[in-house]
Amino acid sequence: MKKVNLSGSMENEISVDRYRLDPTEKYVINLIEEMEFQQSIMMSFQIMGYPPALKNYHAWLFENGFSVEAPNPTNEFVAKYYGVKPLWKTGYSQGIVVKDEKDSDYFIVMECSNKNKGYKHTIVILTLGGCM
């Protein structure tokens, strides 16, 4: 497993498809260390508006029978994507499953592409409470 700091600079690790995270990599995060950075992203969403990439997540939830208002993917559902493939991948974003290094919970991370004005390569934990 590869530990990833979502708030750190990874400029030299941009892949051919312009994303930084590799969906076939088993990433682990330290959620406590990430929370301050994630809160600042959420505050910027409130000020600048939501990036178009968020529509990709809502589409994925809808296509997989989950609620957009109260997203409820389970560990069991997302585990099959962990280190295998993205949840979704479009020109605006990709969805990656990561794991908390301190417990067995999974998280859905959205990585914005360079098409998202103001949010280029932003990496957002969409399930801050983890998956159920």
Side-chain angles (χ1 to χ4, degrees), residues 3-130:
K3 185 173 179 182
V4 63
N5 183 340
L6 301 178
S7 58
S9 176
M10 297 161 47
E11 287 300 327
N12 57 357
E13 294 185 33
I14 296 175
S15 67
V16 175
D17 61 3
R18 306 298 297 160
Y19 286 107
R20 293 177 175 164
L21 298 179
D22 178 356
T24 63
E25 184 71 53
K26 290 192 173 184
Y27 293 112
V28 294
I29 61 168
N30 183 317
L31 187 64
I32 294 168
E33 290 175 5
E34 295 291 342
M35 287 308 293
E36 188 175 319
F37 176 69
Q38 293 298 312
Q39 288 171 346
S40 67
I41 289 176
M42 295 302 175
M43 286 176 60
S44 67
F45 282 1
Q46 291 176 348
I47 296 166
M48 296 171 41
Y50 291 94
L54 206 56
K55 291 179 183 175
N56 298 144
Y57 177 53
H58 289 164
W60 179 83
L61 288 169
F62 181 75
E63 289 167 9
N64 289 283
F66 296 111
S67 167
V68 173
E69 288 77 32
N72 57 353
T74 62
N75 278 327
E76 184 179 322
F77 188 89
V78 301
K80 60 188 172 197
Y81 293 90
Y82 181 57
V84 177
K85 61 183 180 178
L87 295 169
W88 71 88
K89 192 169 200 169
T90 71
Y92 282 102
S93 72
Q94 68 173 351
I96 302 290
V97 177
V98 300
K99 201 170 188 178
D100 188 337
E101 68 180 358
K102 298 198 187 297
D103 65 36
S104 59
D105 209 359
Y106 292 95
F107 294 83
I108 297 173
V109 173
M110 176 182 75
E111 180 181 7
C112 296
S113 77
N114 58 349
K115 291 185 177 183
N116 289 270
K117 189 174 181 181
Y119 295 107
K120 181 179 176 182
H121 301 302
T122 299
I123 302 172
V124 186
I125 301 174
L126 294 174
T127 51
L128 286 172

